[in-house]
Amino acid sequence: MRIDVLTLFPEMFEGVFSSSILGKARDKGIVALNTVNFRDYSNNKHNTVDDYPYGGGGGMVLKPEPIFAAVENLPVHQEDGQDPVKPRVILMCPQGETFTQKKAEELSNEQHLVFICGHYEGYDERIRQYLVTDELSIGDYVLTGGELPAMVVIDSVVRLLPGVLGNEMSAVTDSFSTGLLEYPHYTRPAKFRDWDVPEMLLSGHHENVKRWRRKESLFRTLERRPDLLEGRELSKEEKAWVVEWNGRKQEE
């Protein structure tokens, strides 16, 4: 996979792209991570990339010329013997679709992603209409620019690529990957102060452990994110667990 990020602050990505999982994925050649300062594509002597909005109002708006030029001058991603790949061009924007694990899984199947990180009041609308393929938001709050959201999305996508995680099952069992929150984890020692690891996890019975984890995952979702269960088709066993959980809550 190739990922290009258009930003006015490429230095923000230096540590992120060279550390932890992203750094390892880059070193293994699984993903190519690149930043482009779209100020370099400004067509005026002052290298400005923003201007006043037509119709008046506060704030400045990012101009279309430098962003179009930056995207159009990106190297073409092409696998050996295959046709050039048309990239998904993603605009990080508070008006965009809320980013989810499902979207991360979808994007992880692409070969070339381009992220546009904005600043100021917003983008010239023609960027949305004629250049981008996706608009994404990481939540209903305001940030200074699109760099941090782009980092979040890139991290979420890259960790799903084959060979990135040491344990391939990690991505499968993570919270949201199954539509539920992840079950509780424990490690040594079995007893810490007066707190014990659940006996089930010490039993060595893999099927019972697997069942316990599914049950605890459902309970944690009911407790913290019941909205994730809306519209979900529950199995007969899961329905029984919901009844058990409701009974516990009534007794509390």
Side-chain angles (χ1 to χ4, degrees), residues 19-60:
S19 304
S20 189
I21 295 298
L22 290 180
K24 291 177 181 178
R26 189 187 219 178
D27 292 342
K28 291 179 180 178
I30 297 172
V31 62
L33 299 166
N34 309 283
T35 56
V36 177
N37 190 334
F38 58 86
R39 192 181 298 280
D40 295 339
Y41 292 87
S42 174
N43 59 1
N44 61 76
K45 64 179 182 180
H46 299 294
N47 290 327
T48 57
V49 294
D50 61 314
D51 211 332
Y52 295 103
Y54 279 121
M60 304 290 280

Side-chain angles (χ1 to χ4, degrees), residues 89-174:
V89 182
I90 301 166
L91 194 70
M92 301 311 301
C93 171
Q95 302 174 29
E97 169 191 353
T98 301
F99 183 63
T100 62
Q101 184 66 23
K102 183 177 180 180
K103 191 69 174 182
E105 292 167 0
E106 175 191 330
L107 294 176
S108 71
N109 293 315
E110 298 290 333
Q111 295 184 46
H112 190 186
L113 301 176
V114 178
F115 290 84
I116 303 175
C117 305
H119 275 264
Y120 312 116
E121 185 66 21
Y123 305 94
D124 184 289
E125 188 66 18
R126 288 164 290 190
I127 296 170
R128 301 178 192 276
Q129 290 179 306
Y130 305 113
L131 183 62
V132 307
T133 59
D134 303 80
E135 294 184 47
L136 290 180
S137 166
I138 63 167
D140 297 337
Y141 45 87
V142 179
L143 295 171
T144 304
E147 283 77 14
L148 293 176
M151 293 176 194
V152 169
V153 175
I154 292 168
D155 183 275
S156 182
V157 170
V158 170
R159 68 192 306 280
L160 296 174
L161 301 179
V164 170
L165 297 181
N167 181 351
E168 296 296 335
M169 286 303 296
S170 295
V172 176
T173 59
D174 282 340

Side-chain angles (χ1 to χ4, degrees), residues 66-86:
I67 292 179
F68 270 83
V71 172
E72 292 166 354
N73 279 277
L74 289 173
V76 174
H77 183 73
Q78 186 173 10
E79 300 290 338
D80 292 340
Q82 297 184 12
D83 293 333
V85 175
K86 186 176 182 180

Side-chain angles (χ1 to χ4, degrees), residues 188-252:
R188 294 177 178 84
K191 186 178 186 69
F192 172 63
R193 297 182 179 175
D194 291 327
W195 307 310
D196 297 321
V197 171
E199 282 294 328
M200 180 61 69
L201 298 179
L202 306 176
S203 68
H205 195 298
H206 297 300
E207 280 303 313
N208 285 347
V209 169
K210 187 176 179 180
R211 184 174 181 272
W212 180 89
R213 286 174 169 171
R214 292 202 320 270
K215 184 177 182 180
E216 290 300 318
S217 181
L218 180 63
F219 283 1
R220 180 155 287 187
T221 306
L222 284 165
E223 180 73 38
R224 303 182 181 188
R225 289 293 304 278
D227 57 293
L228 295 176
L229 297 172
E230 294 176 6
R232 179 185 174 92
E233 188 68 31
L234 298 179
S235 67
K236 183 177 180 180
E237 184 175 49
E238 288 173 331
K239 290 178 181 177
W241 289 341
V242 172
V243 172
E244 178 184 339
W245 185 83
N246 287 331
R248 288 186 187 180
K249 300 306 289 183
Q250 291 176 0
E251 292 174 1
E252 292 179 358

Side-chain angles (χ1 to χ4, degrees), residues 170-182:
S170 295
V172 176
T173 59
D174 282 340
S175 290
F176 307 113
S177 295
T178 62
L180 301 175
L181 299 184
E182 198 172 5

